[in-house]
Amino acid sequence: MASLGAPYEKRHKVTVVGSGNWGSTISKIVAENTKAHPDIFETEVQMWVYEEEVTIPSDSPHYDPSVGDAKQKLTGIINKYHENVKYLPGIRLPDNVVANPDLIDAARDSTILVFNLPHQFIDNICKQLRGHIVPYARAISCIKGVHVSDDGVSLFSEWIGEGLGIYCGALSGANIANEIAAEKWCATTIAYDPPPVDASRNPTPRTQSPAANQAKFDLNITPINVDSALAHKDARGRTSKVKLTPVPTEFPPLDHKTFKALFRRPYFHVRMVSDVAGTSLGGALKNVVALAAGFVVGKGWGDNAKSEICRLGIVEMIKFGKEFFGQTVNTATFTVESAGMADLVTSCSSGRNFRCAKMAVERGVSVEEIERTELNGQMLQGTSTAKEVNSFLKTRGLEHEYPLFTAVIGILEGKYSVDDIPELVSESEDWYLDGDLVRN
């Protein structure tokens, strides 16, 4: 990608918060691009690492017989060998990735923060960072999913934004970290709705055009409320609770073009959108659909049944987005973007939720039993999301409006069997999609 044009006095410093499998992969991508675009970014990329002591395996090229099985600090290993031997073994990280165990030091003076860690740690990380970052920083959350409770649905990107007093977009898609780290081609979706206070080339229109047949014109001058005009909108189209500090004009604009320069690689294509809610919802709800796909494949019903599950899943994902984030969600996010259809296809073919649901049916045991025996203490995202979404819908009397989501939780709880799925979802035969989801 070419330069952004006019030279700027300052360049953006980037910090990746998180260093697991996906965090290390994103650090690799970002560091390759900061080196490729020195007119936009500072070359060095700080990667915050939760410090732990690890043993380098004897089959690793970095194994030192004189050290043997003695434990070493993970940050020291990464900075010496440029490889995360625990979470991304066999992949060399660029030399300009610096592993840093000090969160505040890693984020110091960074104008771009990329979050990539389990969502359970968001609150604590934000509490540590608040007051220690530049006030005009912007962020991208690579944390898939949303938080659903009886009270409502909240986006992890907005948790971060509100926790730090900044704006945060979201990255999501059909993105298996190991494949991307090995530079196997794929694509992702980055949702970033540039705040009006920033010098952006890609603002999201928030008003409709005047009616074509409007006959009267009001020539009175109405004073503009500058604060209101520059206020950023949240994912529901409401004025955000966060009062943003503008990115100084000495920096390149933090807009779609800049973020594409930061994340796009020949093996990792990027589509930029402004629909943060749709991008985030896709990463959560597809896990529920993947369970249903695993159920029918485990039953031996074949690809036709799985395809119908995927179709029904997309319909209910769109309906959910339109119903609860109607001011900002775009149907195309689910049908066109990697964060929607592509991620769903991957999840319903080889994802962990799909595989565990399939295994449960084949063995004649519950998904909970598969979780207990096969996942080494980890939990499936699909099961927890299915429960949260069902409770949320039940509180609003809307279970019947989402027959596939309701069927999945019913099977998980033993209320229904997989054989009941065709009848349970039959009501949706009378629905059609024409911009919005309506009943026929």
Side-chain angles (χ1 to χ4, degrees), residues 32-169:
E32 289 170 352
N33 282 326
T34 59
K35 188 178 290 186
H37 301 288
D39 56 326
I40 309 172
F41 310 107
E42 293 185 11
T43 302
E44 182 181 281
V45 172
Q46 289 279 317
M47 179 176 72
W48 174 68
V49 177
Y50 179 78
E51 189 68 282
E52 52 186 309
E53 295 192 340
V54 301
T55 299
I56 297 180
S58 58
D59 59 352
S60 169
H62 311 305
Y63 180 77
D64 183 349
S66 66
V67 177
D69 293 336
K71 291 186 178 298
Q72 305 175 58
K73 292 185 182 300
L74 182 57
T75 52
I77 293 173
I78 294 173
N79 289 331
K80 181 177 181 179
Y81 299 113
H82 304 290
E83 181 182 322
N84 189 332
V85 296
K86 181 172 183 179
Y87 297 108
L88 195 63
I91 300 296
R92 181 177 175 83
L93 299 177
D95 295 351
N96 55 319
V97 172
V98 177
N100 192 337
D102 186 325
L103 175 63
I104 293 174
D105 184 60
R108 183 172 288 115
D109 298 327
S110 289
T111 50
I112 300 176
L113 303 171
V114 182
F115 286 83
N116 207 320
L117 70 169
H119 74 270
Q120 297 93 329
F121 300 111
I122 292 176
D123 284 344
N124 185 44
I125 291 296
C126 287
K127 286 177 182 177
Q128 293 181 60
L129 284 176
R130 192 171 182 92
H132 297 285
I133 61 172
V134 294
Y136 47 84
R138 299 291 181 257
I140 296 291
S141 169
C142 300
I143 306 166
K144 278 193 176 181
V146 297
H147 176 70
V148 185
S149 68
D150 289 354
D151 295 329
V153 182
S154 54
L155 312 183
F156 295 144
S157 58
E158 292 192 333
W159 279 15
I160 294 168
E162 292 174 9
L164 296 177
I166 63 175
Y167 175 70
C168 181

Side-chain angles (χ1 to χ4, degrees), residues 4 20 23 65 77 135-136 154 161 217 228 256 275 298 330 374 409 412 421 440:
L4 290 181
I77 293 173
Y136 47 84
S154 54
F217 299 89
S228 177
H256 285 187
D275 181 8
N330 188 333
E374 302 293 331
I409 189 63
L412 290 173
I421 288 179
N440 196 353

Side-chain angles (χ1 to χ4, degrees), residues 263-291:
F263 285 97
R264 189 192 188 279
R265 298 297 297 159
Y267 58 88
F268 190 63
H269 287 191
V270 172
R271 279 178 57 86
M272 298 295 307
V273 300
S274 296
D275 181 8
V276 180
T279 298
S280 302
L281 287 170
L285 298 177
K286 54 98 178 185
N287 291 318
V288 181
V289 183
L291 289 172

Side-chain angles (χ1 to χ4, degrees), residues 345-419:
V345 169
T346 296
S347 298
C348 292
S349 300
S350 59
R352 188 165 61 174
N353 292 281
F354 167 80
R355 288 185 281 108
C356 287
K358 176 176 177 288
M359 193 182 302
V361 175
E362 290 172 338
R363 295 183 184 179
V365 299
S366 67
V367 174
E368 184 179 14
E369 176 69 10
I370 296 297
E371 282 184 302
R372 188 182 65 80
T373 60
E374 302 293 331
L375 297 184
N376 296 317
Q378 294 183 334
M379 300 293 289
L380 291 173
Q381 289 181 311
T383 55
S384 58
T385 301
K387 293 173 184 176
E388 292 167 358
V389 167
N390 179 257
S391 180
F392 172 79
L393 294 173
K394 183 183 292 185
T395 299
R396 289 155 179 79
L398 295 173
E399 283 181 289
H400 67 286
E401 294 285 345
Y402 296 84
L404 182 63
F405 292 169
T406 302
V408 169
I409 189 63
I411 293 169
L412 290 173
E413 294 178 345
K415 182 179 178 181
Y416 303 126
S417 73
V418 176
D419 290 325

Side-chain angles (χ1 to χ4, degrees), residues 206-225:
R206 292 291 185 183
T207 58
Q208 301 295 323
S209 299
N213 61 353
Q214 185 173 349
K216 296 182 179 180
F217 299 89
D218 184 357
L219 299 180
N220 293 322
I221 297 175
T222 303
I224 297 175
N225 185 327

